[in-house]
Amino acid sequence: MTAKVIDGKAFAANVREQVAAHVARLKEQNGITPGLAVVLVGEDPASQVYVRNKHASTIEVGMNSFEHRLSAETSESDLLALIAQLNADPTVHGILVQLPLPSHLNSDLVINSIDPAKDVDGFHISNVGLLGTGQKSMVPCTPLGCLMMLRDHHGSLAGLNAVVVGRSNIVGKPMAQLLLGDSCTVTIAHSRTKDLAAVCRGADILVAAVGRPEMIPGDWVKPGATVIDVGINRIERDGKNKLVGDVHYASAVEVAGAITPVPGGVGPMTIACLLANTLTACCRANGLTEPKGLTA
Ligand code: GUN
C-alpha cells in the first residue's frame, strides 16, 4: 500500500485564505486591522529568510506587518524596552521575537517579557502552563499546524496511540499536550528512549521532531499509521543540496496510511498558523468571536 500524501502546501493555502477572509470582515465590520510585530536581532541568514517570508505572508492576508531589525550587539535592556513598547501598542496584536537570539541575550527572559496575550509563538511560560492545564492559550504554530492536518485526516483522534519523537519546547512537548487534549494515548520518545523502533511501531500517529535526517525508517512505521514529519534537514546527496525530513520518506510512504512530505508538508503550515494565531489574538483583544477551526 502507498500512503496518502498530505499536501501541506495546499492545506496552508486554505488556512491563509480563511484568515484573509476573516481579516477582511474585521476591517469592514469593526474597522480593525490585525497587526503582527516581528523582532529580528542580528544577521543570521536563515532567520532573515524566515522573517522576510513572514512579512510577505502577513501583508498578503491583509494584516499590518511591523518589522524591527536590531543589530547583533543590541543590549538586553534595549530589546526589553522595545518589547514593552510593542506590548503597550494597541495596533500590535501579535509579537514574535525570532530565535535563536545572539548568545549574550537571555531568550527565556526576553520571551517571558512579551504580553502572553500577544505571544503568537505560544512560548511564554503562561501559555505553556495554560496549554498544559487544558485552558485557552496561544498554541505554538508548528504543533498547531500538525494538529489541524491530523484532525482533517482522522476526524476524531480519540483513543489513538500517538508517539512524538522529540522533546523540544517548540514542537515535541506542546505537540504531546495537544494530542492529549484530543484524547490520544501519548508517548514522548527521544534520543535516550530504549528500543525506539518498538515504541514507534506502536504508533497510530507518529510525529517525528528530532532534527536528524531520515532517522526513522519505514520498518519503524506501523502499517496504515499516519506519519507527520516535522524535520527540515539540509543534506548533500549526489553533489546536490537536498531538504529531507526526520523520516526516511521513500520507505515510510510504502507502509504508512498517510504521510507529510518534506518539503511541502508541515513546513508551510507554520507561517499559516502564525497568521491564524495573530488573528485569534486580535479577536480576543477586541472581545470578538474567534475564528473557527483555526485554534486548538
Ligand atoms: N526560529 C525557528 N523557528 C521559530 C519559531 O517558530 N518562532 C520563533 N520565534 N523563532 C523561530
Side-chain angles (χ1 to χ4, degrees), residues 5 27 32 101 117 150 170 180 193 196 211 260 268 292:
V5 179
K27 283 189 192 177
I32 298 166
L101 285 171
L150 284 166
I170 294 181
L180 199 54
T193 295
L196 185 55
T260 60
K292 279 200 183 71

Side-chain angles (χ1 to χ4, degrees), residues 49-66:
V49 174
Y50 288 138
V51 167
R52 208 178 309 131
N53 290 341
K54 281 170 194 164
H55 174 76
S57 306
T58 306
I59 300 291
E60 208 179 286
V61 295
M63 293 181 180
N64 288 327
S65 170
F66 308 103

Side-chain angles (χ1 to χ4, degrees), residues 47 50 54 96-100 111 121 123 141-142 170 270:
S47 292
Y50 288 138
K54 281 170 194 164
L96 180 146
V97 177
Q98 184 68 31
L99 300 176
I111 296 301
D121 260 329
F123 294 165
C141 304
T142 301
I170 294 181
T270 299

Side-chain angles (χ1 to χ4, degrees), residues 209-273:
V210 265
R212 286 214 218 149
E214 299 176 329
M215 186 193 124
I216 298 175
D219 70 349
W220 290 17
V221 176
K222 177 176 171 176
T226 302
V227 177
I228 304 290
D229 191 350
V230 182
I232 300 177
N233 309 292
R234 263 168 226 288
I235 62 160
E236 208 177 289
R237 181 171 291 156
D238 306 327
K240 284 185 194 146
N241 272 323
K242 229 185 149 236
L243 272 191
V244 298
D246 293 347
V247 174
H248 185 267
Y249 185 82
S251 56
V253 75
E254 297 299 329
V255 189
I259 188 166
T260 60
V262 178
V266 173
M269 288 299 286
T270 299
I271 290 185
C273 287

Side-chain angles (χ1 to χ4, degrees), residues 23 31 44 92 118 138 141 143 145 155 159 199 208 230-231 254 261:
V23 169
D44 178 63
V92 172
K118 298 188 178 188
M138 295 307 302
C141 304
V199 173
V230 182
E254 297 299 329

